[in-house]
Amino acid sequence: MSKGLFITVEGGDGSGKTTQLGYMKEFFAERSVDVIFTREPGGTAIGEKIRDMILDPKNREMGGMTEALLYAAARSQHVLQVIGPALAEGKVVVCDRFVDSSIVYQGAGRGLGKAVSVINDYAVDGVMPDVTFLFKLDPDEGRKRLRQKEPDRIESEDRDFHRKVYDAYLDLERSHPHRIIGIDGNRDPEEIRVEMISYLDRLLDGYSEALVK
Ligand code: TYD
């Protein structure tokens, strides 16, 4: 069975992840690679409904475990319906957030710890990223950068929550040095783009010709 390349993109709220994802789209378009861009929570019709439920600021009473299970439920559907089939066809899949987000936001931020890994082992069903780009920006800086839009339920969490999330990302980076590429987000977006593209170039060069249309 041919197997594609699974890339995930991670970072705290306001870390500049979305800007860099835009550059990544341009990169793949120029290289004519058969690629799918998707996101979590979401990526499927069911997942997008779950997303609305999770992020709705009106759902103030939602418990941490409910939240973790909903993220995992959306992920399970995403793997089943989109990510798994695309990888089986040999495509490149780029996903804006994946299981690492649950480990840091629900595991560390909400303090649910190990339970989150256990739930997500079922959700991902063995599908794990080959490479993860982690955009690292101090959460105080990230909050300043967030656009003046209405914050969603997670963005509205306090400073302490976002600090725990950030520290947990740094721990993950340390424990998965071969998978996670940490990128200093406290720089000019263009400088960050150049660094990311050089990683992507190497990644694709070392990858099967079959990926190129
Ligand atoms: P989104 O608007 O997509 O934020 P961003 O542009 O920062 O990715 O909202 C997703 C929010 O959900 C974000 O605050 C991170 C959070 N999240 C979790 O808490 N756990 C998860 O497993 C995932 C995928 C996201």
Side-chain angles (χ1 to χ4, degrees):
M1 187 176 78
S2 60
K3 182 174 175 315
L5 178 65
F6 187 21
I7 300 171
T8 59
V9 180
E10 296 280 350
D13 295 274
S15 61
K17 181 169 68 62
T18 307
T19 306
Q20 296 301 326
L21 268 163
Y23 294 141
M24 209 184 271
K25 276 188 191 145
E26 287 170 14
F27 168 87
F28 281 113
E30 282 161 15
R31 300 272 298 240
S32 304
V33 171
D34 202 357
V35 61
I36 287 179
F37 277 82
T38 187
R39 69 162 181 185
E40 290 204 348
T44 65
I46 292 170
E48 292 293 331
K49 281 188 184 168
I50 296 175
R51 176 188 176 89
D52 291 344
M53 212 189 305
I54 304 176
L55 296 180
D56 187 346
K58 287 198 235 62
N59 286 334
R60 294 185 59 177
E61 71 275 32
M62 187 181 291
M65 184 53 80
T66 307
E67 181 183 288
L69 288 164
L70 285 172
Y71 276 115
R75 181 162 302 126
S76 172
Q77 188 64 30
H78 198 198
V79 169
L80 178 80
Q81 208 183 321
V82 177
I83 300 174
L87 292 175
E89 285 171 27
K91 290 183 179 159
V92 176
V93 176
V94 179
C95 191
D96 181 356
R97 299 192 179 281
F98 194 60
V99 65
D100 296 326
S101 282
S102 281
I103 303 292
V104 301
Y105 281 85
Q106 282 66 53
R110 298 283 185 228
L112 296 174
K114 266 258 164 236
V116 176
S117 311
V118 175
I119 296 162
N120 277 281
D121 280 348
Y122 290 103
V124 304
D125 199 20
V127 176
M128 277 299 282
D130 298 297
V131 176
T132 299
F133 287 95
L134 169 61
F135 294 98
K136 299 187 287 182
L137 182 68
D138 188 89
D140 289 342
E141 193 54 39
R143 297 195 96 181
K144 275 192 237 157
R145 283 192 190 179
L146 278 182
R147 272 181 264 135
Q148 298 306 87
K149 58 159 187 149
E150 197 64 30
D152 64 41
R153 211 173 50 80
I154 304 286
E155 284 163 353
S156 325
E157 285 298 329
D158 63 13
R159 190 169 176 237
D160 182 51
F161 177 91
H162 290 283
R163 175 67 54 190
K164 283 186 199 154
V165 165
Y166 182 65
D167 290 343
Y169 266 135
L170 299 185
D171 285 345
L172 270 185
E173 184 194 8
R174 275 189 289 270
S175 53
H176 297 87
H178 298 295
R179 172 171 66 87
I180 301 181
I181 299 170
I183 296 191
D184 174 9
N186 196 17
R187 290 176 300 163
D188 184 70
E190 176 56 21
E191 228 178 285
I192 300 172
R193 184 188 73 84
V194 169
E195 185 180 340
M196 177 184 73
I197 297 299
S198 86
Y199 280 117
L200 284 173
D201 264 329
R202 271 178 277 162
L203 202 61
L204 281 199
D205 285 348
Y207 210 71
S208 160
E209 288 287 336
L211 284 175
V212 181
K213 265 191 243 167

